[in-house]
Amino acid sequence: MNVLSASTDATRKKTVRWVIAIAAAALLFDGYDLVVYGTVVSSLLRDPTQLGALDAAQAGALGSYALMGVMVGALTAGAVGDFLGRRKMMLINIVWFSLGMAFTAMATSVPAFGILRFLTGIGVGALVATAGAVVAEFAPAGKRNFYNAIVYSGVPAGGLMASLLAIVLNGVTDWRGLFMIGALPLVILFPLACLKLPESPRWLLARGRTEDAHRLSVKTGIPLQDKATEGPASDAAASSGTVAPPPAVGKGGRELAGFAALATGNYRTPTILLGLMSFCGLLLTYGLNTWLPEIMGQHGYGKTYSLTFLLALNAGAVIGGLVASRSADRFGPRAVVATTFVIAAAALVLLTFDFPLPVLLVAVAFAGVGSLGTQVLVYGFVSNYYPTPARVAGVAWCAGFGRLGGIFGPLVGGFLISARAPSHVAFIVFAAVALAGGLVTVFVRRHRNSAAGVDAAVVDAAEVDAAMTGAGPQGSGHRSA
């Protein structure tokens, strides 16, 4: 098996830092793209000279178009990502969503705006689906939930950035300027990713390119196999949810890849449940991010105060997601995700009471922990739940099916506002969705660490090392087990 020397360990840490930074930056702008609409929707509703006349139901539909694109992009990434590779998918979609944001900023009508939001969403969805696989295959096993939280916290951090810029640039630029900021990755992030983002050695190995995988493993310091654990160590791994996922095997004992792997006996029911978890998390995320400023505005809070609630929501998601990820690495993501869903439900119920502003801001922050903060943990849970040949497909399914919730969230909010329902009704509906998400989570089956599984991991690792030895001299920091 691969044993990392001090120099190889330093190389690995450097590689991981670059990979995590690039993936997090990509999702930062993804989050910006998806939340910036919520910061300008009130202006578009009140100023028909921008795109044309809009009512709340139409605005909710516009908010959902991007999420429909995200669903298409995520599912497309699942279909091709496990075959094209992690690096190509990241680079293609950084360019895609950047161009989408630039063209959306130039839209002059409601139909053009909606179509461009849909097309931009395709790039966003593919990135969201690919990022989880990238983290799972580069990050060390004991820190994957934490690193995953750092990367996916880019989404609420992007929402935070959108909220801050909407406040700071109010009166300086209009919605077009805010959308044009979302195109900056094309000139900043894409060149950096071309230089610093490597292909995943584990993906190369899973595709049968053993020599290429070995060479890249030596160059990047990323091992081709996690160290197998036995006894107490493996028990700890089982409790924390870090047990290596079993292969998805079809008829005749052939290991399956992509979406076909998700339909096998080991993964069929968990895949449905993980998709429902994501559905609930994203319904909360996009329902609140789209309509929270408008709902609080109806309570008498001006534009700046309403945007401050959006700021609190996303700040809570960033901080809470990072804190909760530490617990997920220690206790396992399932228990932590269920708990944060319940926190969201309690916080949303508190928003139905007439508390002072500071109390409402704290409640909104905890709602952020339990909505987008929870979704960050869900992506980490999913990306580590599936084996390498099915990893992008698993995250893509979670992101894609979950986007149905993201689509319904703005539509539900728009429907309730159009029907002039009291604001507390919307919060009660969202609280019920959070409770449903927590209930679904507790039924997801854990992977069990069996002696046979450990033996298989050792045999597989030995075969990898044997292949490496046959392919050429061992690189620095590698030896046979």
Side-chain angles (χ1 to χ4, degrees):
M1 294 179 63
N2 291 339
V3 177
L4 300 181
S5 67
S7 61
T8 305
D9 189 44
T11 302
R12 176 182 187 173
K13 288 179 179 178
K14 183 179 179 181
T15 300
V16 169
R17 281 195 294 267
W18 274 112
V19 169
I20 297 300
I22 290 168
L27 293 194
L28 175 78
F29 281 93
D30 278 6
Y32 180 90
D33 164 69
L34 292 171
V35 174
V36 71
Y37 177 69
T39 70
V40 304
V41 67
S42 295
S43 298
L44 296 177
L45 283 168
R46 289 163 176 77
D47 186 359
T49 64
Q50 297 298 321
L51 293 173
L54 273 178
D55 60 29
Q58 290 173 319
L62 279 181
S64 295
Y65 290 159
L67 302 176
M68 293 177 188
V70 171
M71 180 177 68
V72 171
L75 295 176
T76 301
V80 303
D82 284 314
F83 302 96
L84 282 183
R86 315 315 188 205
R87 175 180 159 85
K88 286 181 183 177
M89 289 298 295
M90 291 288 290
L91 295 177
I92 290 170
N93 289 290
I94 288 172
V95 173
W96 185 297
F97 86 80
S98 298
L99 290 175
M101 285 294 281
F103 286 123
T104 303
M106 302 178 216
T108 58
S109 67
V110 171
F113 184 87
I115 291 169
L116 288 167
R117 292 293 289 153
F118 172 81
L119 293 174
T120 304
I122 292 175
V124 172
L127 269 178
V128 168
T130 307
V134 169
V135 175
E137 291 168 20
F138 280 91
K143 296 182 178 179
R144 281 180 187 154
N145 282 295
F146 179 65
Y147 280 123
N148 197 86
I150 291 175
V151 168
Y152 279 104
S153 288
V155 177
L160 194 64
M161 183 170 73
S163 305
L164 280 172
L165 289 176
I167 293 171
V168 172
L169 298 179
N170 186 27
V172 177
T173 186
D174 61 2
W175 69 270
R176 297 183 190 277
L178 291 174
F179 271 77
M180 193 61 74
I181 290 171
L184 288 176
L186 184 62
V187 295
I188 297 173
L189 184 59
F190 177 69
L192 187 63
C194 286
L195 291 173
K196 296 294 185 179
L197 182 66
E199 184 53 87
S200 164
R202 296 187 185 191
W203 176 81
L204 291 171
L205 183 66
R207 299 299 297 166
R209 295 166 59 181
T210 305
E211 292 184 20
D212 292 338
H214 172 52
R215 282 194 294 268
L216 192 57
S217 176
V218 172
K219 181 179 179 180
T220 61
I222 303 298
L224 297 177
Q225 187 86 22
D226 284 330
K227 183 178 180 181
T229 55
E230 299 181 16
S234 65
D235 293 340
S239 66
S240 66
T242 59
V243 173
V249 180
K251 293 180 179 180
R254 183 173 61 90
E255 186 172 2
L256 300 177
F259 283 122
L262 308 188
T264 59
N266 283 342
Y267 294 106
R268 187 181 302 113
T269 299
T271 293
I272 294 171
L273 295 175
L274 291 168
L276 290 172
M277 286 166 55
S278 185
F279 178 94
C280 293
L282 288 171
L283 191 153
L284 291 172
T285 295
Y286 292 107
L288 291 172
N289 269 299
T290 300
W291 290 113
L292 185 61
E294 182 67 17
I295 292 172
M296 302 314 292
Q298 291 181 0
H299 271 282
Y301 293 99
K303 181 177 180 180
T304 299
Y305 280 114
S306 296
L307 290 174
T308 302
F309 282 107
L310 201 58
L311 198 66
L313 182 78
N314 287 283
V318 173
I319 298 169
L322 290 173
V323 172
S325 69
R326 286 292 197 182
S327 298
D329 276 324
R330 183 174 180 183
F331 302 111
R334 186 177 67 168
V336 177
V337 168
T339 300
T340 54
F341 267 129
V342 172
I343 289 173
L348 288 165
V349 170
L350 287 177
L351 290 175
T352 65
F353 296 95
D354 191 21
F355 287 119
L357 177 62
V359 177
L360 291 177
L361 287 172
V362 171
V364 167
F366 275 102
V369 174
S371 55
L372 188 45
T374 296
Q375 189 62 26
V376 166
L377 298 174
V378 170
Y379 284 134
F381 190 1
V382 172
S383 63
N384 292 297
Y385 197 84
Y386 294 98
T388 298
R391 185 162 286 130
V392 167
V395 181
W397 158 255
C398 177
F401 183 80
R403 293 302 156 172
L404 290 174
I407 291 166
F408 280 114
L411 290 174
V412 168
F415 172 78
L416 292 173
I417 289 173
S418 295
R420 300 188 183 280
S423 60
H424 73 269
V425 173
F427 289 133
I428 292 297
V429 169
F430 288 137
V433 171
L435 285 178
L439 182 64
V440 168
T441 303
V442 300
F443 287 104
V444 178
R445 183 176 64 244
R446 285 179 177 173
H447 294 314
R448 296 297 179 183
N449 193 12
S450 64
V454 171
D455 290 343
V458 172
V459 170
D460 288 345
E463 290 174 350
V464 169
D465 285 335
M468 289 180 181
T469 305
Q474 290 287 345
S476 174
H478 298 76
R479 66 177 175 82
S480 297

